[in-house]
Structure formats: C-alpha cells, structure tokens
Amino acid sequence: MAINNLHDVYHDQLQDLHSACSQALEATAALSRAAKNKELSEALIAGSNGISDGMDQIKSICARHDIDPDGEHCKGMEGLVKEAHAHGIDADFGDDDARDAMIITQYQRMVHYALAGYGCLLAFANRLDLDEDGAILQKLLDDTYDGDRRMTEIATGGVNQAAAA
C-alpha cells in the first residue's frame, strides 16, 4: 500500500499496533508464568487482559475503516519480544527476585512501545476528526499508562529492593 496522506499513515499504524499487541500478548503471558512475585504475576495477567482488549478495540476501529487489522507485521515489537524471551524468560537466573526485576524491565519496554503507538494514533485520529476512534484510543492510552504505573509501583514497592539484597 502506498502511503499518500495521513489517513494512509493512520491505517498503516493501526495494523502495526495490532501486530505489536498480538506479539506482546504471547510474551506477557510467558512473563507472567515466569514471575515468582504474586503481585507481579497478577499484574502481568491483568496486562494480558488489557492487551487483548486493546486488540479487540483496534479490530473494531479497523472494521469501521474497512482495513484488515492483520495487514502488517511489527518488526519493532518482534525485537522487544525476542529481548523479553532472551532476558526475562529463557535466561538463567540464580535469584527469583532478580528475574522478577528483569521481567518488569522487559514488560515495561514493550508497554512503552505500545504507549508510543497509541499516542501517535490518537494524534492522527484527532487531526482527522475521527472522534469515535479518538475516544477509544484515549481510553486505551490511559489504561496502558495505568498498567505501566502499576509495574513501576511493584518494582519500587519491593521487587527491586528484594533483588538488591
């Protein structure tokens, strides 16, 4: 598809973010299984649910614009998922607390990628006067920020301290 205007950019990035979420969903589920801290594991499960909801919302936006949400493969998230596996899931850890600290690190990297995607899509939707899309994207952006803040609270509320001991 040739990208000729902001509508085309918007459609391309909807597909890219759908792909990113799909990849992050699998990795987040694996991170939740690897986490030893109960609060962290539960937060990652909630994160998986949020990612799944985001994918559903992106699909609904794509349907309104008659585009296939699966029309793109996000190479950026592919790299972040590989990093999450290499450093948070498959790595050899002698300490569960250190693993949990690394899991938070890897998850937040993926979340920050999603935050950038949602933020850009929201700006595009607003510029294109796509009010219904904008409302959905704003909620997804807010929910993603909430999940990121929760991870920071878990890290600073005990996981990092336990890993430092």
Side-chain angles (χ1 to χ4, degrees), residues 125-138:
N126 289 339
R127 172 52 57 196
L128 296 168
D129 295 322
L130 300 170
D131 297 337
E132 188 175 348
D133 292 7
I136 292 167
L137 292 164
Q138 182 66 64

Side-chain angles (χ1 to χ4, degrees), residues 11 36 44-45 49 53 78-79 84 101 113 135 137 140 142 145:
H11 294 172
K36 300 305 180 207
L44 289 164
I45 291 167
N49 292 336
D53 180 57
E78 180 182 335
Y113 190 91
L137 292 164
L140 292 169
D142 292 344
Y145 271 118

Side-chain angles (χ1 to χ4, degrees), residues 28-107:
T28 301
L31 290 170
S32 73
R33 290 188 298 273
K36 300 305 180 207
N37 179 287
K38 184 178 183 337
E39 184 181 12
L40 174 57
S41 181
E42 289 171 356
L44 289 164
I45 291 167
S48 292
N49 292 336
I51 294 167
S52 182
D53 180 57
M55 290 176 63
D56 290 343
Q57 296 298 325
I58 293 169
K59 282 181 187 177
S60 73
I61 293 171
C62 287
R64 277 199 302 281
H65 295 277
D66 197 31
I67 57 174
D68 178 7
D70 297 320
E72 182 76 27
H73 178 74
C74 180
K75 296 262 187 195
M77 187 58 77
E78 180 182 335
L80 291 171
V81 166
K82 284 180 183 176
E83 290 291 303
H85 277 277
H87 298 287
I89 298 164
D90 301 330
D92 185 25
F93 285 87
D95 181 80
D96 288 340
D97 297 318
R99 177 186 298 276
D100 285 345
M102 182 63 81
I103 285 170
I104 292 170
T105 300
Q106 297 306 314
Y107 177 74

